Amino acid sequence: MASLLYRLGKFSFRHRWWFLSAWLVMLLGIGGAFAAFSAPTTNNFTIPGSESQRVLDELRNRVPDAAGGSGRIVFETSSGEAFTEAERRAVTDTVAELNSLDFLKSVSDPFEMQAQLDGSADQLAAGQAELEAARAQLEAGKPQLDAAAAQLAAGRDQLSMAQMQADQLDAAGQVQQAEAVRAQLSAQEEQLDAGEAQLAEQQGAYDDGVARLADGEEELLEAQRLAEATDGLRFVSEDGATAFSEVQFQEQSYSVTPEQRQEVQDTANRITDSGVQVFFSKEIVEDVSSLFGPSEGIGVAVAAVVLILMLGTLVAAGLPLLMALVGVIAGVGTTMALTGVVEMTSISPMLALMLGLAVGIDYSLFIINRHRTQLLHGMELEESAGVATGTSGNAVLFAGLTVVIALAALAVPGLPFLSVMGLAAAGTVAMAILVALTLTPAFLGFIGNRILSKKAWAQAGITPPAPHAALAPEDQAAAAQHKENGSPRRWGRLVTKHPVITVVLSVLLLGTMAIPAGSLRVGLPDGGSEPVDSTAYQAYQRLGDSFGEGINGPVIVVGYLPDGLTDREASDLTYEVAGKLRGLENVTTVVPASTSDDGGMVVYQVIPEGGPAAEGTEDLVHTIRDDAGQIQDETGVEIAITGQTGINIDVSDKLMDAIPVYLLIVVGLSLVLLLLVFRSVLVPLIATGGFLLSLAASFGAVVAIYQWGWLGGIFDVHNPGAVLSFLPIILIGVLFGLAMDYQMFLVSGMREAYVHGEDPRQAVRSGFDHASRVVTAAAIIMVSVFAGFIFAHLTMVRPIGFALAIGVLLDAFVIRMTLIPAVLHLLGKSAWWIPKWLDRILPDVDVEGARLLGPAQSPDGTGAEQELASAGR
């Protein structure tokens, strides 16, 4: 591979205009694809096939009114006093105007909703009074009906006796008397028939009254159950100064365009002229269309300063930045072009941008630094570009592939959004590698000798040669002398002079920093993690202060009622299940929100005591699932959890479950990779142990700041809570890849020095001297780029930027440049021990292209080993 890259470097140098044109055409094509096919990203995190996602999909089909995206608009009086009548009318008019927007399904009027809640008690009392009056009237009328019925029955008995007397008179031959009696009987019978008809009418009215009383009692019972269910639910705060409207979109949240979100804000903001303040929840104001903000530029600016200080010229310093920019445009542009066909979260292009900038600068820097060193050692320009690409470029390829593999392995947990995220970042890193290996040597041809400052040439005592020309004999002597005068690094001498103290202090430092990691709790961000001055945070805080934290993150529970129930039976079961849910710990209230058209599915809104990312809310979700079987046994109703809060908790649980497997894959890959590179048993174990130590310390720092709130004022963490759920797995993958980068560039020099005959302890110092300067600069650059994202406009990115910055800082400076040299110095020759049978079967990967240079190609004729050992890495 080194020979192939050597030829590629020379070819790129020689045909630089062709490579520049090819990359320009590629960038134009990517830009066109981005313009034609890109779509908005989303913060919709789902787990296909999970219970919560399955129920949500079913909910969209059976209860479409509950399936659209939703948000909240918070209204608050400027005075802090209760809403005046004029302010109430202004809110109602604003709600009506919002309801006229065709992309909104509904917007609730908070005062109307609160009036219904407040009036329910009065309505219940009035209804109860009416029922009592009706019951009293029925109870009073019943004796009268019974008395009338008894009187009619007695009259009918008397009529029967009189009829018998008339029959007896007929039998005695007293016909006229009998007829007279029958005439009287006929009149009495007509009176009885009329009385019975009247009694039947009265009985019918009484029966209707009884039926109406039963219906009224059932309606009253239903109203009482609803009142109990909504107890604690409010739409206007108790002090009357804050109110909120529920906004329901026609489409899912990720399908709502930025323009539609803005129209909602513009429409509602008109009310501010009436003295009412308006705040919008995160779901309404969230705009993930912008990737790069001003804070990210600060990190790039710091990287530029480091490059200028290290390379000495603006031309040389600008080259790694330009290469990183090309790689980012190509990688992130391709990623964004795919958003039209692949649902992608906003964090995917942001992670790709973050990594693309960092590795793009570093990978080009490694090749440029090697090229500069070789020029000062007397190598001709084109040859140097080829050798730098074949040696340091070979190491860049090998190291970059480890990053790509680690990122692509994010598909292991089986979460589509995480797989897309990993592949997007891996693709951008691959672009950075491609740019470093092709476009960097091409630009080395454009820049020529200007890659070194006049001061650098003068200090080396060399006159810059013309392109394709060899150094003059006197300059060759100066170059050889410059090569021999490599300056030792004081830090390398210090850590190897006191290796035991160095190891103990390093382990104590990282071990102490890792302590908070034991309290790690993960979740997805909510409005409480937004910037303090943002409307999303203001809405979140006002809702929590006025209505309880749980209003910000209701848990959606779906109940499946048995088939064949009457309306009364279905209602009884609905409220019975609500009562059981209300009795759970950490529950404020439970509201049966809606029912499917077929009556078989009931949607409950469970308002927890804490916010959506609170530990109590997470416990509540697990408790509901644990108790689902018992509830079904007792009621026959199957329940399941869905909604954003439930899905977020499911995502977090799934990611945490995947971390041990993913970490095992990464550690296994690390051991195999380092075994191949260093042909040693102990070096891979030490390097991997160091990675785990820096990883634990990074987790500890993240927990202390973002979960515990330490130094929150510095890092703008005003509402500490659960750590971003996919941060741990991203940190593992990315930090592993970057740690292996520095391990290879730093320790491979130590191994080469040892292989070339140096004392094993002196080899550690020699290797450190050769590589520490460029590794230090590369690490500072990478830390700066990552740190620039700590105050990114997308708050979800902030803890990732911090974690990667602190992770690289600790791994590069504490592990790779402090602990590793000290341990290798202590081990001496045994550090490079490997069983002979294992050494024979391992392929020689020659990561740094040690066999690339032959004596004829070396400027001083010393051959490959000495050239590699003396050239800067």
Side-chain angles (χ1 to χ4, degrees), residues 146 562 820:
D146 293 341
I820 295 293

Side-chain angles (χ1 to χ4, degrees), residues 60 64 159 196 270 407 440 507 549 551 606 659 711 727 845 859:
R60 289 170 182 166
L159 187 63
E196 288 175 346
R270 297 190 191 113
L407 289 170
T440 298
V507 173
E549 290 291 334
I551 199 70
V606 181
I659 283 179
L711 304 177
L727 185 151
V845 294

Side-chain angles (χ1 to χ4, degrees), residues 348-360:
S348 298
M350 285 298 295
L351 181 64
L353 173 66
M354 193 186 306
L355 291 177
L357 282 174
V359 302

Side-chain angles (χ1 to χ4, degrees), residues 227-234 544 546-555 578-579 581-591 605-611 616-617 620 624:
E228 291 175 0
T230 57
D231 182 36
L233 181 66
R234 297 189 64 86
S546 301
F547 304 98
E549 290 291 334
I551 199 70
N552 286 300
V555 178
L581 293 173
R582 196 179 304 110
L584 297 177
E585 191 176 357
N586 296 315
V587 173
T588 297
T589 188
V590 178
V591 182
Q605 197 175 62
V606 181
I607 309 297
E609 293 178 354
T617 304
L620 173 61
I624 292 174

Side-chain angles (χ1 to χ4, degrees), residues 703-729:
V703 170
I705 292 174
Y706 290 92
Q707 185 174 317
W708 292 357
W710 292 6
L711 304 177
I714 297 176
F715 294 97
D716 195 21
V717 182
H718 46 270
N719 189 22
V723 173
L724 185 66
S725 58
F726 44 83
L727 185 151
I729 201 166

Side-chain angles (χ1 to χ4, degrees), residues 202 287 317 343 361 477 504 649 663 689 738 811 819 824:
Q202 292 173 349
D287 182 9
E343 183 180 315
I361 294 173
V504 172
I649 292 174
L663 186 59
L738 301 180
D811 195 88
L819 181 65
L824 294 182

